[in-house]
Amino acid sequence: MTAADWLNRNVSRLGGDKKTAKTPTAAADAAMPAPAPARSTRERLAATLRQKEEALSPRVLRRTLQELKAIVDPQVSEVEGGRRAHGVAGWYAGATQDERRDMWLLMSEQFVADAQKTQLAQAQFARAVGTPDEAVAEVRYRRATVSPRRRLLQRFSVFPEGIRFLVDLRADLLPHLKSDKRLQALDVEMEYMFSTWFDVGFLELRRISWDSPASLIEKLIRYEAVHDIKSWADVKNRLDSDRRCYGFFHPRLPDDPLIFVEVALVDRMTDSITPLLDESADTTDLSKATTAIFYSISNTQAGLRGVSFGDSLIKRVAETLKEEFPKLKVFATLSPIPGFRSWLAKNAGAMIEKLDVKTRATLGRAVGFEPPLANHFLAAADAAPALDARSPVRQMLLRCAAEYLGRAVLDGKPLDAVARFHLGNGARVERLNWAGDPSVKGMKQSYGLMVNYLYDLKRLDKHRAMLAQGQIPASSEVEGLYM
């Protein structure tokens, strides 16, 4: 009997009936992080009996640890280590959520750097600073701080499906980090390893078209995170002749885009998502296309959270498009403002206080209450689609949106997640678009407002430097709306 077979048999016997994991109720329960077990794995490994909140018995936990240690046994080859890792991965596939968490805890708590060796190497390095031995001491210190956990992850990556296994494992783990801080060591190690393995230098930029395999197009439908794809006709429209879709692919995950971007080729900067998603709209004459609009960017792998691809993807796509269409001069997004409505609900009163007496009185007359309070303004804003260009409520919403995008920061970074992404990539806030997304989702996020972020390829570094200094890059049009 193999070790993997032993684990499967004994975990089923000692850890509970895993068949319940396949029921809808159990699947829903698995999606919710359970309370963290009270005992550390060190205490559980030394115990005899399993407590009720623990999935694996001490005996099975000890055997599982032996299996994990066997993977990184220095006496075995990479191939043998990968084979052993594959066996543990097979057990993991059939384990319940709580049993999986026990394995995460073992990986996090039992594969740590040797504290004594680390302290000794650190002291030696401190003494060597400024001497000829400094470089050698630094190397020794760096090696001492490398945990066996890193070697364990490397061995899991050896077998063919190993990278996919690790990415999915981290996706399972992420929802539990807040409830169990002990898992953070494993999470940080995985993020570090993924940042290396998924460096953009190892990724392939690939165009996704209507001629791509149906299985790949189905993944676009599944992974689309900005504007839901409702049908095959919808996705065909997004892959039409005046559109482009590109994704980054990793050689070990050849059939899954890690991130993809949808682009519309048009003759001017687009101010509304509606015509772009209109399946009956005429295609653009590509000979007249001067502008590339990035209207949807979707990350597909939850397990790669913290690994950034977006900056490189947009640059690579812009360069690719310029080669195919030399007339393209403008590269911009048409983006949602997902955090605006919730932010305004908390800050509407402060925004009204910033108005001068005359403007506040005008707003009060428009909402029917003088002086206007936050609830009066927010109630009137719910009628955003019906407000004309001269409406004081509409003008106030635009000014608040500009304030939110241009001045609302947290720890020196834009508060809005989409703004944080694009501005961090070197774009600038170019233009606010009224009724850019009149859908239910658009109203719920931002009263229908959308924003263009401009990617001026010659000024990306300048804009990043501005952001690092606490200044959000924005056009004069947007700055003119600041309160």
Side-chain angles (χ1 to χ4, degrees):
M1 178 183 296
T2 67
D5 291 337
W6 189 96
L7 280 170
N8 275 313
R9 186 193 69 184
N10 286 279
V11 168
S12 177
R13 179 167 59 87
L14 298 173
D17 184 3
K18 288 194 288 293
K19 291 182 180 179
T20 57
K22 298 180 180 179
T23 66
T25 301
D29 291 342
M32 297 298 293
R39 296 194 295 181
S40 69
T41 54
R42 182 183 299 276
E43 294 170 319
R44 293 172 61 190
L45 288 166
T48 302
L49 300 177
R50 172 169 63 97
Q51 294 184 354
K52 62 180 181 179
E53 73 274 11
E54 297 168 350
L56 300 182
S57 71
R59 181 185 177 190
V60 177
L61 197 69
R62 287 190 290 269
R63 185 58 183 254
T64 305
L65 179 59
Q66 292 174 8
E67 293 299 318
L68 291 171
K69 286 183 174 179
I71 294 172
V72 293
D73 186 337
Q75 303 301 316
V76 304
S77 67
E78 290 281 345
V79 174
E80 174 60 19
R83 187 193 68 78
R84 295 179 180 185
H86 188 256
V88 172
W91 168 81
Y92 183 93
T96 67
Q97 190 68 60
D98 287 341
E99 291 163 355
R100 291 180 176 187
R101 185 173 62 186
D102 277 349
M103 192 178 98
W104 305 337
L105 287 169
L106 287 173
M107 295 172 73
S108 197
E109 293 187 320
Q110 298 298 316
F111 291 83
V112 299
D114 187 299
Q116 290 185 341
K117 289 182 179 179
T118 299
Q119 290 174 354
L120 177 61
Q122 184 180 29
Q124 291 174 339
F125 175 50
R127 288 194 298 268
V129 172
T131 74
D133 297 327
E134 179 178 350
V136 174
E138 181 186 1
V139 170
R140 289 174 178 168
Y141 174 55
R142 288 181 180 274
R143 288 176 176 171
T145 59
V146 175
S147 70
R149 190 186 308 111
R150 188 173 303 178
R151 184 63 174 159
L152 179 63
L153 295 174
Q154 289 171 334
R155 287 285 172 91
F156 271 105
S157 73
V158 170
F159 67 92
E161 303 84 18
I163 295 290
R164 163 54 64 196
F165 167 75
L166 290 174
V167 171
D168 290 345
L169 184 151
R170 186 166 182 248
D172 287 345
L173 177 148
L174 285 172
H176 299 263
L177 289 178
K178 288 184 178 180
S179 62
D180 196 342
K181 303 298 183 184
R182 295 173 295 174
L183 297 173
Q184 288 186 354
L186 175 59
D187 175 60
V188 170
E189 196 86 73
M190 295 188 82
E191 182 177 338
Y192 170 80
M193 298 297 287
F194 290 165
S195 295
T196 301
W197 294 342
F198 290 91
D199 182 87
V200 293
F202 301 131
L203 305 182
E204 176 191 0
L205 180 68
R206 208 187 298 171
R207 182 182 170 188
I208 304 170
S209 71
W210 186 244
D211 294 325
S212 297
S215 59
L216 181 53
I217 297 176
E218 287 174 348
K219 288 174 181 175
L220 290 189
I221 298 174
R222 185 191 323 150
Y223 291 136
E224 167 61 50
V226 184
H227 304 289
D228 292 343
I229 298 176
K230 300 177 176 61
S231 65
W232 281 95
D234 187 356
V235 73
K236 188 175 188 300
N237 175 58
R238 303 189 194 203
L239 300 176
D240 213 339
S241 61
D242 60 343
R243 305 295 180 88
R244 292 294 183 271
C245 180
Y246 293 93
F248 266 151
F249 292 79
H250 190 277
R252 295 288 293 276
L253 301 173
D255 301 321
D256 257 336
L258 306 179
I259 184 174
F260 62 89
V261 59
E262 298 167 55
V263 189
L265 304 174
V266 292
D267 59 3
R268 65 178 66 87
M269 192 178 295
T270 308
D271 61 4
S272 173
I273 194 62
T274 302
L276 298 186
L277 301 183
D278 184 357
E279 299 166 23
S280 63
D282 294 334
T283 57
T284 300
D285 182 351
L286 291 179
S287 67
K288 298 179 180 179
T290 61
T291 304
I293 296 292
F294 300 84
Y295 64 94
S296 180
I297 301 176
S298 300
N299 287 292
T300 69
Q301 306 300 314
L304 294 180
R305 190 180 76 182
V307 181
S308 178
F309 310 113
D311 179 16
S312 298
L313 176 65
I314 290 173
K315 282 184 177 177
R316 291 272 298 276
V317 169
E319 292 167 358
T320 301
L321 290 173
K322 281 181 71 70
E323 290 179 4
E324 185 177 0
F325 304 101
K327 291 184 179 180
L328 289 179
K329 303 299 181 185
V330 178
F331 298 89
T333 77
L334 180 63
S335 301
I337 316 175
F340 175 55
R341 184 164 184 146
S342 60
W343 174 86
L344 187 59
K346 300 173 184 177
N347 293 276
M351 293 299 101
I352 292 173
E353 288 298 319
K354 289 187 176 185
L355 298 175
D356 59 54
V357 175
K358 181 179 179 181
T359 306
R360 192 182 307 173
T362 301
L363 179 64
R365 288 192 293 273
V367 301
F369 293 91
E370 293 188 57
L373 300 178
N375 60 313
H376 304 145
F377 167 55
L378 294 173
D382 280 330
L387 300 175
D388 63 37
R390 294 176 296 177
S391 166
V393 177
R394 172 167 168 169
Q395 293 304 315
M396 182 62 176
L397 275 173
L398 286 167
R399 296 179 72 177
C400 289
E403 196 81 5
Y404 171 66
L405 294 174
R407 291 182 173 172
V409 296
L410 178 64
D411 297 329
K413 296 180 180 180
L415 189 59
D416 186 80
V418 177
R420 189 161 58 246
F421 172 81
H422 289 296
L423 296 174
N425 290 341
R428 79 176 188 186
V429 185
E430 185 66 12
R431 186 179 69 187
L432 288 168
N433 299 303
W434 184 260
D437 183 3
S439 69
V440 172
K441 182 178 180 181
M443 289 297 297
K444 185 176 180 180
Q445 289 183 334
S446 60
Y447 298 98
L449 284 166
M450 297 192 79
V451 58
N452 298 119
Y453 295 102
L454 178 68
Y455 277 84
D456 185 336
L457 302 183
K458 296 180 180 179
R459 292 182 171 82
L460 298 182
D461 290 338
K462 177 183 177 181
H463 291 160
R464 284 197 197 92
M466 291 174 61
L467 190 64
Q469 296 169 6
Q471 181 182 354
I472 293 181
S475 68
S476 57
E477 177 181 339
V478 172
E479 289 180 343
L481 292 170
Y482 289 166
M483 301 176 70

